[in-house]
Amino acid sequence: MKSLSLLAAAVAVVQAQEVYITTSGYTARPQCTEPPATPTYRFQSFSYASLNDTVRYAISVPSPTTTHTYGPAYSEAVAKLSTTLSTTTWGSWLPGQTIISATDTADKYGQAAWSSQWLHASLANYTDIGLYTTTVSPTPLPTSELVLPPRDYFGPTDCYNFPEGFTFGVAGSAAQIEGAIGLEGRAPSILEKMLPDTKPQDYVTNENYYLYKQDIQRLASIGVKYYSFSISWGRILPFTVPGSPVNEQGIKHYNDLIDYVLEVGMVPIVTMLHFDTPLYFINASAGYAVPDIGYQNGGYWSEEFVESFVNYGKILFTHFADRVPFWVTINEPLLYAFNFTGLDNVVHAHAELYHFYHDTLNGTGKVGLKLNDNFGVPKNPENQTEIDAANRFNDMQLGVFTYPICLGQQYPKSILDTLPGAKPLSKKELEYISHTTDFIGIDAYTATVISVPAEGIENCAKQNMTTNSLYPYCVTQETVNAYGWDIGYRSQSYVYITPIYLRTYLSYLWNTYKTPLILSEFGFPVYAESTRDLVDQLYDSPRSEYYLSFMSEVLKSIWEDGVNVIGAIAWSFMDNWEFGDYAQQFGMQVVNRTTQERWFKKSFFDIVDFVGARNGLGY
Ligand SMILES: *[C@@H]1O[C@H](CO)[C@@H](O)[C@H](O)[C@H]1NC(C)=O
Ligand SMILES: *[C@@H]1O[C@H](CO)[C@@H](O)[C@H](O)[C@H]1NC(C)=O
Ligand SMILES: *[C@@H]1O[C@H](CO)[C@@H](O)[C@H](O)[C@H]1NC(C)=O
Ligand SMILES: *[C@@H]1O[C@H](CO)[C@@H](O)[C@H](O)[C@H]1NC(C)=O
Ligand SMILES: *[C@@H]1O[C@H](CO)[C@@H](O)[C@H](O)[C@H]1NC(C)=O
Ligand SMILES: *[C@@H]1O[C@H](CO)[C@@H](O)[C@H](O)[C@H]1NC(C)=O
Ligand SMILES: *[C@@H]1O[C@H](CO)[C@@H](O)[C@H](O)[C@H]1NC(C)=O
Ligand SMILES: *[C@@H]1O[C@H](CO)[C@@H](O)[C@H](O)[C@H]1NC(C)=O
């Protein structure tokens, strides 16, 4: 229901030259000091030359000149572990293979045990592979691929630069791009089991496991300094648990990947767990039960989770902390938390890894986590009841992690009062968990308009997800404002272009949690993009508008609001597997999964140009 009252109230009094700013609804133009009164018509010699644009090329990341170290080398770091690591290699499932012959059935971590994990997972076609089974050597990009697109007519007009050291980069995650799921010793993850057989799977996806060098080279060529990727737990530890052997091929893969990132002059950002928990944790029990919170069962509630994840995280630190300055323990833990135990386990595991990194390894980089919350804003920002409801929503999504981790404060009351079995942290636990993050990573895609449902919050909070669709937040969530307009231009999915909300969000986070912020994911799946011709997919102006408006608001947040935003990582650097869907494209490159060719979209050039023009590329 759209209100016409604003328009009706608008009185157009555009008479003489000085009356061009109205106060009754038309947009003010304070920059327009002396508009001419009347046009001057005249003849002149005509030329097409005004259409000739200067051709510009993307500027590649310069070759590295120095080496930075952020922690001890492996040989020194490994001595800090309380366990001795053994390494081994396992096999690969080749196309059509139904059995891997192995005689070591007595070895609980042997070849037979490894292949039986796959057989027990009982997946259709998991031995499918794409074009490659070995790492592809990169080829330099022809300059013809680096010609900048035409600019959009409208764009940011700010005059700010990014502060020195601002971390601008692009992101992807292992399961969404790697493929090669049954190769080189990887174990099955919950993502292979999560979706019905009829949905597109992650088995092959972008074959980044073998094409990573080419993919990284493309990023360096277009000029991006930071590359954020996730490591697959099942590739490092095919048997998940402490004491099980480390997969030599998995370690080598990510060592080579990190070295290649550095070789081309870029900097790696590593996420330890991005939804792809080993299937080990949800085998049989609780697999498909209705969660108390979040959407999926990530297995975080398991009694073995904390110890196992911390062991895995420490193994990553010992191998890679020397070269990696930014670490994310868990990506968007809320979504896969399942219940209070899952949330609580994540908080404890994160804190333990933070302490290990800083206290035991003396790592000089940063460790944090990445949180999701499509910022809850009160429908009427002056209505205290709705403000309280929005706070409840944000507390339950973010505060459950940030109260203890950033502030050393107890879990939010809404969590303790709503989730079954929720327990407060003890004073001792809080002391240990307090201030165990160097940044808040916020995946601030969009916003949510919050109001109070007719039934009230209290009644709903006593129910569960089966009986009440609003549970556990128990607030009304909308994507229209108080006057019935969408909060911004809509994408293919839940994302709307909401730059003004973003600026408020950053201010909310900084002033509430007093911790440096990284905009750790933001991106826009253009509506119906995958149905368009390639050339039209590449001209993705809505995505450019999303990125440039968000980045412009980040600058205002820094310079006008005093908010410490230390970085922004765009999601994603290429179209990928969006959990059962390839049509919802968040990428800044098109990927053809038959040929594995990639093409830069316009928005990729636009965001790099925006950041580069404001000294924010970090080189
Ligand atoms: C217009 O651009 C083309 C292609 O860059 C160039 O060859 C030509 O000389 C330009 N003409 C003028 C008048 O600048
Ligand atoms: C899953 O459960 C079955 C039956 O209990 C067991 O034999 C198998 O090893 C388990 N799979 C994994 C991956 O742990
Ligand atoms: C598995 O592959 C076969 C042969 O290509 C195909 O007919 C079948 O639909 C596939 N099943 C799934 C679940 O992808
Ligand atoms: C870490 O630093 C502390 C104090 O600066 C020092 O005592 C300790 O030996 C260092 N540990 C490592 C692994 O370098
Ligand atoms: C969370 O779920 C697991 C698996 O069903 C269960 O064992 C555990 O008790 C649950 N935790 C709470 C607090 O309900
Ligand atoms: C404030 O919000 C509540 C809940 O949405 C609503 O019931 C109430 O009427 C609002 N009050 C005002 C003054 O708008
Ligand atoms: C949800 O609540 C209903 C009604 O109290 C109850 O019957 C049901 O068992 C609950 N479901 C879960 C998953 O707790
Ligand atoms: C991928 O490339 C192949 C071969 O050129 C072509 O036939 C196919 O249409 C392309 N697929 C998409 C989705 O563009």
Side-chain angles (χ1 to χ4, degrees):
M1 187 104 19
K2 290 166 182 81
S3 164
L4 293 176
S5 60
L6 264 188
L7 274 183
V11 185
V13 203
V14 192
Q15 299 165 336
Q17 56 249 64
E18 68 270 20
V19 192
Y20 60 92
I21 299 171
T22 71
T23 53
S24 49
Y26 292 119
T27 304
R29 296 183 298 159
Q31 75 277 20
C32 307
T33 45
E34 271 181 55
T38 39
T40 312
Y41 304 110
R42 65 201 187 283
F43 294 108
Q44 55 191 323
S45 62
F46 171 77
S47 160
Y48 289 109
S50 62
L51 292 175
N52 229 16
D53 216 358
T54 313
V55 178
R56 295 188 301 147
Y57 294 91
I59 301 166
S60 303
V61 173
S63 298
T65 50
T66 49
T67 311
H68 296 279
T69 302
Y70 309 95
Y74 174 68
S75 55
E76 196 189 323
V78 75
K80 307 284 173 192
L81 293 176
S82 49
T83 52
T84 317
L85 297 187
S86 63
T87 56
T88 189
T89 57
W90 289 272
S92 285
W93 285 100
L94 296 172
Q97 195 164 3
T98 52
I99 191 149
I100 289 180
S101 306
T103 50
D104 57 351
T105 43
D107 182 352
K108 65 175 172 171
Y109 301 137
Q111 304 293 322
W114 177 77
S115 52
S116 74
Q117 290 193 64
W118 283 102
L119 297 174
H120 279 120
S122 174
L123 302 165
N125 299 349
Y126 65 99
T127 61
D128 281 357
I129 57 172
L131 301 177
Y132 303 105
T133 47
T134 53
T135 302
V136 176
S137 297
T139 46
L141 265 70
T143 53
S144 60
E145 285 196 42
L146 297 172
V147 176
L148 265 59
R151 292 177 215 257
D152 281 326
Y153 189 79
F154 293 110
T157 53
D158 68 83
C159 299
Y160 297 118
N161 286 335
F162 289 96
E164 205 184 323
F166 188 84
T167 301
F168 168 72
V170 295
S173 89
Q176 291 177 269
I177 59 173
E178 281 185 355
I181 57 157
L183 303 183
E184 299 195 359
R186 181 187 180 279
S189 85
I190 60 170
L191 297 181
E192 282 86 64
K193 202 61 197 161
M194 195 172 79
L195 299 157
D197 283 348
T198 49
K199 293 256 187 180
Q201 306 290 346
D202 67 346
Y203 303 170
V204 176
T205 181
N206 294 356
E207 295 191 65
N208 171 268
Y209 190 71
Y210 294 119
L211 286 169
Y212 69 89
K213 288 190 176 174
Q214 188 68 41
D215 282 336
I216 291 163
Q217 170 138 147
R218 293 181 66 82
L219 300 182
S221 299
I222 202 171
V224 178
K225 177 82 178 262
Y226 288 88
Y227 175 44
S228 172
F229 61 95
S230 79
I231 291 181
S232 154
W233 187 344
R235 274 195 205 285
I236 299 294
L237 290 169
F239 290 91
T240 312
V241 296
S244 65
V246 176
N247 180 9
E248 203 177 300
Q249 288 178 299
I251 294 289
K252 179 174 186 317
H253 173 78
Y254 292 110
N255 257 330
D256 289 350
L257 192 161
I258 290 165
D259 286 344
Y260 195 69
V261 169
L262 297 170
E263 188 185 319
V264 298
M266 295 175 64
V267 181
I269 299 175
V270 170
T271 296
M272 294 176 168
L273 179 54
H274 192 113
F275 299 142
D276 52 353
T277 327
L279 188 56
Y280 175 86
F281 288 112
I282 62 158
N283 188 10
S285 64
Y288 306 98
V290 178
D292 297 336
I293 195 164
Y295 298 109
Q296 298 292 342
N297 179 4
Y300 309 161
W301 52 265
S302 164
E303 277 166 21
E304 292 179 272
F305 180 80
V306 176
E307 200 196 349
S308 300
F309 180 68
V310 168
N311 172 67
Y312 159 63
K314 285 181 179 177
I315 288 171
L316 296 188
F317 280 147
T318 55
H319 283 89
F320 310 127
D322 54 344
R323 288 156 290 158
V324 174
F326 280 98
W327 290 89
V328 171
T329 53
I330 304 192
N331 169 70
E332 302 188 353
L334 179 90
L335 296 185
Y336 282 48
F338 190 67
N339 63 19
F340 175 78
T341 312
L343 296 172
D344 192 50
N345 281 351
V346 165
V347 168
H348 283 91
H350 170 84
E352 246 187 87
L353 283 170
Y354 183 91
H355 281 297
F356 179 79
Y357 180 80
H358 283 300
D359 307 346
T360 307
L361 285 188
N362 286 355
T364 57
K366 296 183 195 305
V367 177
L369 71 180
K370 263 170 83 191
L371 302 172
N372 65 284
D373 170 30
N374 297 325
F375 188 37
V377 294
K379 193 163 194 169
N380 171 359
E382 287 172 5
N383 180 328
Q384 191 58 46
T385 314
E386 289 178 349
I387 292 171
D388 292 345
N391 284 340
R392 173 185 168 90
F393 180 80
N394 295 321
D395 275 356
M396 291 189 77
Q397 302 219 14
L398 291 175
V400 62
F401 305 105
T402 44
Y403 278 43
I405 289 173
C406 298
L407 301 173
Q409 287 177 11
Q410 191 52 262
Y411 288 133
K413 192 170 176 306
S414 48
I415 287 283
L416 294 174
D417 289 352
T418 308
L419 295 185
K423 282 200 322 270
L425 293 159
S426 71
K427 192 157 173 270
K428 194 160 157 245
E429 285 174 318
L430 275 173
E431 268 164 27
Y432 181 76
I433 293 163
S434 175
H435 293 93
T436 52
T437 194
D438 298 312
F439 58 85
I440 298 175
I442 190 71
D443 294 358
Y445 282 90
T446 189
T448 313
V449 175
I450 302 292
S451 55
V452 179
E455 61 177 296
I457 290 174
E458 300 284 301
N459 176 47
C460 158
K462 293 191 199 96
Q463 302 185 45
N464 59 45
M465 272 202 201
T466 314
T467 54
N468 196 318
S469 62
L470 298 182
Y471 182 91
Y473 310 110
C474 297
V475 296
T476 302
Q477 303 179 35
E478 292 176 285
T479 47
V480 291
N481 70 14
Y483 305 99
W485 286 99
D486 266 352
I487 50 174
Y489 182 77
R490 188 177 185 171
S491 70
Q492 170 116 356
S493 63
Y494 66 94
V495 184
Y496 294 74
I497 302 181
T498 49
I500 306 299
Y501 292 97
L502 174 73
R503 181 163 165 199
T504 310
Y505 196 7
L506 296 172
S507 176
Y508 166 83
L509 291 169
W510 170 244
N511 292 302
T512 309
Y513 298 114
K514 305 184 169 47
T515 303
L517 307 175
I518 295 183
L519 184 52
S520 45
E521 278 186 29
F522 63 123
F524 191 82
V526 174
Y527 184 77
E529 190 178 65
S530 68
T531 65
R532 307 184 74 194
D533 288 346
L534 174 63
V535 70
D536 300 327
Q537 291 192 42
L538 299 181
Y539 207 106
D540 59 339
S541 292
R543 185 175 287 108
S544 288
E545 185 191 336
Y546 176 91
Y547 278 133
L548 268 46
S549 65
F550 269 49
M551 291 304 280
S552 189
E553 291 303 310
V554 165
L555 283 169
K556 289 184 203 160
S557 182
I558 293 169
W559 293 106
E560 295 179 26
D561 305 340
V563 174
N564 189 7
V565 186
I566 62 175
I569 316 287
W571 181 278
S572 174
F573 72 98
M574 57 178 166
D575 292 336
N576 59 42
W577 182 70
E578 187 62 27
F579 311 101
D581 186 4
Y582 284 103
Q584 194 184 143
Q585 300 184 155
F586 278 87
M588 294 190 290
Q589 295 181 75
V590 172
V591 177
N592 180 318
R593 286 180 200 84
T594 308
T595 61
Q596 292 298 356
E597 287 171 282
R598 284 92 160 106
W599 293 266
F600 295 118
K601 299 181 194 175
K602 171 175 153 64
S603 61
F604 210 158
F605 290 102
D606 286 347
I607 192 171
V608 172
D609 186 51
F610 178 94
V611 180
R614 290 160 180 77
N615 299 337
L617 288 175
Y619 53 81

